[in-house]
Every structure is written in C-alpha cells, then in structure tokens.
Amino acid sequence: MAFNFYFTILLLSVSIAQAFGNDYTSINAEEARHRAKRAPGDLLETVVLTEAEKIEIVRLHNQYRSRANASDMLAMSWDNTIAQFASNYISNCDFAHSTNAQRSSISGFSIIGENLGTQITSSNIRSRDYILSVTQAWHNEINDYFYDTFSCIANKACGHYTQVVWAKTYKIGCGAAFCRRATSTVGYRLLVSCNYGPAGNFLNNTAQPSRVGRPFERKGAPCSQCAQQDTCVD
C-alpha cells in the first residue's frame, strides 16, 4: 500500500531595527489558528541535537558565509548557552518569535538574533532532516536581497539570509522540537530555532524601517577588514 505524505515549509525571522521591532513572517491558516489555541500538550518531543548535527549546522553556516566574499566576515562557532535557550523556547511549540526581553543578556550578548522554521507533514514517521536543510532554505533568500540598498524585494522576506551571513555574528545555538499539528492527529510539526550572537539585522538611525541592514562589507580582499590578531581561513 502506498502512502502520500505532504510537507509544508514555513519560515520566520526577526529583523532588529532601531527598536528591535520588525518581523518577517510567513505562516498559513493552520498556524494562525494554532497560535490562538495552543495547549500544554502540544509538545511531542524535544529534540536533543547530536554532536554531528551541531557540527554540520556550524559548517553550513560558515560555508555560506565564506561564499559572501566579504572583507569583514567572522567565523561562526557553537554556543551551548545559546543552544539551551533555543531548545527551551522552541519546546513551547510556538511558531512565533521570542521577545526582545527573552533574547537579552544571553551568553554575554546584549541581545541575540533568531531564525525560525517549521515543517508540517502528514507522516507519523519523525524525520530530523529538516534540522539541517532549513539552513539552506534560509540562505536561499539571497535571491530576494539587494546588497546595494540592503533591502528585500517587495513582499519578500530576506531576514533569514542576512542573519545567516551577518559578518559580526560569530556564535550560534539551535534547538528543535516535534509538536502536534493544529488540525489533525496525523503527522506532526517539526520546529527549528537558531539563535545568533550578537544579533544581526541592525539598521542605522537613518535607514528606512523596511530595510534589514547590510550584513557584511565588500571593501577589499576577504578578511582585510578583520582585526589584526584574527586568522583568515577558507
């Protein structure tokens, strides 16, 4: 007997402007209803990331960051404190951003950034593949970003991409959770949260609110604008 499973991918990123207020959201009707009817029993399983998964998440981020050909890009590494925050928060099964207050004073950073993604499926077989593939989905927003004006294409989200390649961000920690679906007892939602220190997507005071910021500089050769004590790799 053959079974047809469907997968829906949703993404949500925070863009930190002057007052840390602009969000790029992408939700469907199922998620909108679920936000209003969230129940304590939504959590099916808090995912404990393996060391291999942590290494791969960092590797993917650094791979995409190295492709930017930036003159000031820092290498990213894993942070267990940030990861614990991400895991604790996403286990609430809430596909909405944590508050600025919640993301403040984490692991020595005044505020950390946040990318969210969710996969909704009708299959009852729990797959963890999306934990890694969501990074590519975030980076794919490069096609909707204008570097010269540090803004997104109209009606498009690109804040996930800019956070992934934000030059001054150098720490990452992620969490994931399997949660019940809003309107069906079949299948599940896999929610993934990655948090970043320090947060990206900052705008200067003269920038238009719709802009997400310039994630890196292209002023010279790669690493040419990094500190003298830094070592340039790959």
Side-chain angles (χ1 to χ4, degrees):
M1 181 180 296
F3 295 91
N4 294 320
F5 300 136
Y6 71 81
F7 296 87
T8 301
I9 305 299
L10 304 172
L11 302 176
L12 183 61
S13 78
V14 64
S15 174
I16 304 177
Q18 298 162 17
F20 311 105
N22 296 334
D23 286 349
Y24 293 91
T25 60
S26 177
I27 62 173
N28 64 6
E30 179 178 29
E31 279 297 327
R33 287 192 298 270
H34 195 59
R35 287 189 189 184
K37 299 180 179 179
R38 202 166 306 283
D42 281 354
L43 179 64
L44 296 173
E45 176 190 352
T46 296
V47 177
V48 178
L49 298 183
T50 66
E51 288 303 312
E53 287 170 329
K54 296 175 186 177
I55 291 170
E56 182 63 6
I57 289 170
V58 171
R59 188 195 70 80
L60 287 169
H61 275 75
N62 282 327
Q63 173 181 285
Y64 292 132
R65 291 164 71 83
S66 67
R67 290 178 182 175
N69 209 24
S71 55
D72 61 343
M73 186 72 71
L74 297 177
M76 193 174 282
S77 60
W78 190 263
D79 187 291
N80 287 325
T81 301
I82 294 177
Q84 189 61 59
F85 171 85
S87 179
N88 290 345
Y89 180 76
I90 208 64
S91 293
N92 292 318
C93 293
D94 189 1
F95 188 61
H97 279 295
S98 55
T99 65
N100 296 325
Q102 287 173 312
R103 286 184 281 107
S104 297
S105 301
I106 305 293
S107 196
F109 298 105
S110 58
I111 190 167
I112 57 176
E114 186 169 81
N115 277 352
L116 301 179
T118 184
Q119 178 189 65
I120 304 172
T121 174
S122 62
S123 171
N124 283 320
I125 301 174
R126 297 180 188 175
S127 170
R128 300 164 67 109
D129 294 348
Y130 181 67
I131 295 171
L132 300 181
S133 64
V134 69
T135 302
Q136 180 179 349
W138 291 334
H139 185 265
N140 284 346
E141 291 177 1
I142 186 175
N143 299 314
D144 299 321
Y145 179 72
F146 293 112
Y147 178 82
D148 291 339
T149 59
F150 47 100
S151 60
C152 308
I153 293 176
N155 301 316
K156 293 286 189 177
C158 61
H160 302 96
Y161 159 71
T162 52
Q163 176 59 91
V164 168
V165 297
W166 199 267
K168 303 306 182 186
T169 298
Y170 62 93
K171 288 293 184 180
I172 183 175
C174 303
F178 289 105
C179 301
R180 299 185 192 282
R181 292 178 58 203
T183 58
S184 175
T185 58
V186 179
Y188 60 84
R189 296 175 300 137
L190 174 57
L191 276 64
V192 179
S193 174
C194 284
N195 290 93
Y196 302 84
N201 293 352
F202 276 99
L203 300 179
N204 60 42
N205 291 331
T206 60
Q208 298 177 10
S210 61
R211 295 180 177 179
V212 294
R214 179 169 292 166
F216 51 82
E217 295 291 346
R218 288 173 172 164
K219 297 179 179 178
C223 303
S224 61
Q225 287 189 293
C226 295
Q228 290 185 351
Q229 66 271 23
D230 291 342
T231 301
C232 190
V233 295
D234 193 14

